[in-house]
Amino acid sequence: MTFDQRIPRREAAPEVSVVICTLNEHEAIGGVLRELDGALAHCQHEVIVVDDSTDDRTAQVVQGYAQTHPWVRLLRRQGGRGLASAAVAGWDAARGRTLALMDGDGQHDPQLIARMLDDTAALGSEVVIASRYLESSASGLGLVRHVGSRITTGISRLLLGLKVADPMSGCFLMTRNWYQQVRPQLTALGFKILIDVLASGARRPQVSQVPTQLRERNGGTSKLDLRVVLELGAQLFEKATRGMVPARMALFFGVGISGLGVHLATLSLATWTGRPFWLAQLVAIWLAMSWNFALNNLLTFRDRRLHGVAALRGLLVFYAACLSGAILSEALGVGAAWIGAPWFVAGIGGALIAGVWNYHLAKRAAWGTEVEVTMAPSITEPAAASATQEH
């Protein structure tokens, strides 16, 4: 079926819940909300804005709009980092029979949501994607971002077998049933969530695609940086290993490898300058552990990033975790060698097990704080939440 132009009566659950994730996009979000309401005037819907902004301006715009449009809700996160986790927080709070995602900077045409709803109803699709590459190789991105997007698309097809034109799309829709199937396996890391949604099920979903190109951004800035690229690589690794190596653990091990480079460089420099080996080794270990903590705090656990006194406490806990891991590695390596394992097997096996130990201990002890999510009180009153939409 397709949707007619009549405004339906209020149902127990809206036809669609649209999640919009914002980060300092006060200039654009008001226009996006108005456009979206116009595009979905023919069906029952709700809009959930998940705001990670560093100031109150975006929230103020959303709250002001919601005073006369009670189907709009605001979730503010304290310490939240990354579009993927923001999208999951919004979907978890949603009531719709279908769940959608779009950007809050004006680059996505809100009419896409209505078109994707039609595809869900007419084709029985479980996931509908607004693809930048379906009818054209152009995307609306700058050259560097376009090339990066195309490379990542190719890698995702190769590693995960995703037969879609644009697995990097930030605008898509899925049925609630599909979301419930994949929710326990979602990585929710970084700024790319569609790959997570497509590759986390026991099977691949029924997918349809609609063509689009990005519009000019009306506010905010690009979220793409080196951390986003690394997080995406870790996410692909998790999905390729079917969850055996979680994305966060892959990042943790990658940081550990870089720490090994710091260790060797420090050791080489110290011995070259004539320092005794015991002192060079001590300084190298300390610098490598400090480097690993700083990089993990910036990258691996950036949604739980520690600051000030909490960072100092986390650093001390991290030192303790690494020390216990070193003792464990030594014990396992010696034990494996004692029972006849080749030296390289004993050494690598001990290091890997100790690395897993360090990851879980550091994750729980140093970065155990979860992201806090709060609902804006003025928008979550029972009367507002149950009001009938009037366009």
Side-chain angles (χ1 to χ4, degrees):
M1 75 180 219
T2 58
F3 297 99
D4 61 27
Q5 297 303 311
R6 294 175 299 171
I7 301 173
R9 298 177 61 185
R10 183 76 181 182
E11 298 175 334
E15 184 67 27
V16 60
S17 297
V18 183
V19 172
I20 303 175
C21 306
T22 56
L23 180 63
N24 301 328
E25 286 160 351
H26 58 280
E27 298 171 317
I29 188 61
V32 170
L33 291 173
R34 287 189 293 272
E35 273 197 271
L36 185 59
D37 273 340
L40 298 178
H42 61 285
C43 72
Q44 197 74 30
H45 66 278
E46 69 173 350
V47 181
I48 300 173
V49 179
V50 185
D51 185 35
D52 286 351
S53 297
T54 56
D55 58 40
D56 295 332
R57 290 179 294 177
T58 302
Q60 289 169 354
V61 174
V62 176
Q63 287 177 310
Y65 188 86
Q67 295 302 318
T68 54
H69 301 79
W71 50 90
V72 175
R73 293 191 284 160
L74 172 67
L75 278 70
R76 296 205 68 187
R77 303 202 303 168
Q78 303 299 318
R81 291 294 184 272
L83 181 145
S85 62
V88 171
W91 290 328
D92 283 349
R95 299 180 299 109
R97 295 195 296 274
T98 55
L99 308 173
L101 179 71
M102 63 179 291
D103 286 349
D105 58 10
Q107 288 191 297
H108 293 145
D109 183 352
Q111 291 290 343
L112 290 168
I113 305 297
R115 293 169 60 190
M116 291 190 290
L117 276 171
D118 285 347
D119 267 25
T120 303
L123 305 177
S125 305
E126 293 171 301
V127 179
V128 187
I129 303 167
S131 171
R132 296 164 291 184
Y133 309 119
L134 197 60
E135 294 182 345
S136 170
S137 60
S139 63
L141 296 170
L143 177 60
V144 174
R145 292 183 64 198
H146 175 82
V147 171
S149 177
R150 298 302 282 168
I151 291 173
T152 308
T153 295
I155 293 173
S156 68
R157 288 178 175 176
L158 179 65
L159 292 181
L160 306 179
L162 298 178
K163 307 300 184 183
V164 297
D166 188 7
M168 301 294 113
S169 176
C171 184
F172 61 93
L173 179 147
M174 62 183 158
T175 63
R176 175 170 290 278
N177 182 59
W178 180 255
Y179 178 64
Q180 290 172 339
Q181 288 185 49
V182 301
R183 176 64 179 88
Q185 284 75 45
L186 292 179
T187 304
L189 184 68
F191 284 81
K192 298 298 180 182
I193 185 65
L194 179 56
I195 285 179
D196 215 359
V197 167
L198 293 174
S200 293
R203 58 173 178 83
R204 296 293 184 256
Q206 295 293 322
V207 175
S208 60
Q209 304 174 77
V210 298
T212 188
Q213 277 196 17
L214 295 180
R215 307 188 302 185
E216 288 293 326
R217 182 183 284 113
N218 293 329
T221 58
S222 172
K223 312 306 184 294
L224 181 66
D225 57 19
L226 179 59
R227 290 175 298 185
V228 172
V229 174
L230 294 175
E231 286 168 343
L232 180 58
Q235 183 186 78
L236 288 170
F237 193 81
E238 174 180 321
K239 300 309 175 186
T241 60
R242 298 185 179 275
M244 291 181 61
V245 181
R248 215 184 282 268
M249 184 184 289
L251 288 171
F252 189 88
F253 272 87
V255 168
I257 292 172
S258 73
L260 178 60
V262 171
H263 182 107
L264 294 176
T266 304
L267 193 61
S268 176
L269 179 62
T271 54
W272 180 72
T273 56
R275 301 297 189 273
F277 179 80
W278 68 267
L279 178 60
Q281 179 77 333
L282 186 64
V283 172
I285 290 173
W286 173 71
L287 282 178
M289 288 193 299
S290 301
W291 166 272
N292 286 353
F293 173 80
L295 209 54
N296 278 312
N297 196 44
L298 183 66
L299 176 63
T300 309
F301 299 101
R302 75 162 160 175
D303 57 330
R304 308 179 186 182
R305 191 175 303 163
L306 303 174
H307 302 276
V309 175
L312 179 59
R313 174 191 170 279
L315 176 61
L316 296 177
V317 171
F318 187 76
Y319 285 158
C322 290
L323 178 61
S324 64
I327 295 173
L328 178 64
S329 176
E330 177 71 9
L332 291 172
V334 170
W338 184 75
I339 62 174
W343 65 268
F344 59 89
V345 173
I348 293 174
L352 287 176
I353 294 174
V356 174
W357 168 270
N358 285 349
Y359 166 73
H360 286 291
L361 186 59
K363 178 183 175 182
R364 292 177 181 274
W367 289 282
T369 304
E370 298 289 346
V371 172
E372 295 181 7
V373 180
T374 58
M375 296 286 290
S378 62
I379 310 176
T380 55
E381 297 296 328
S386 62
T388 301
Q389 295 176 11
E390 294 178 0
H391 300 273

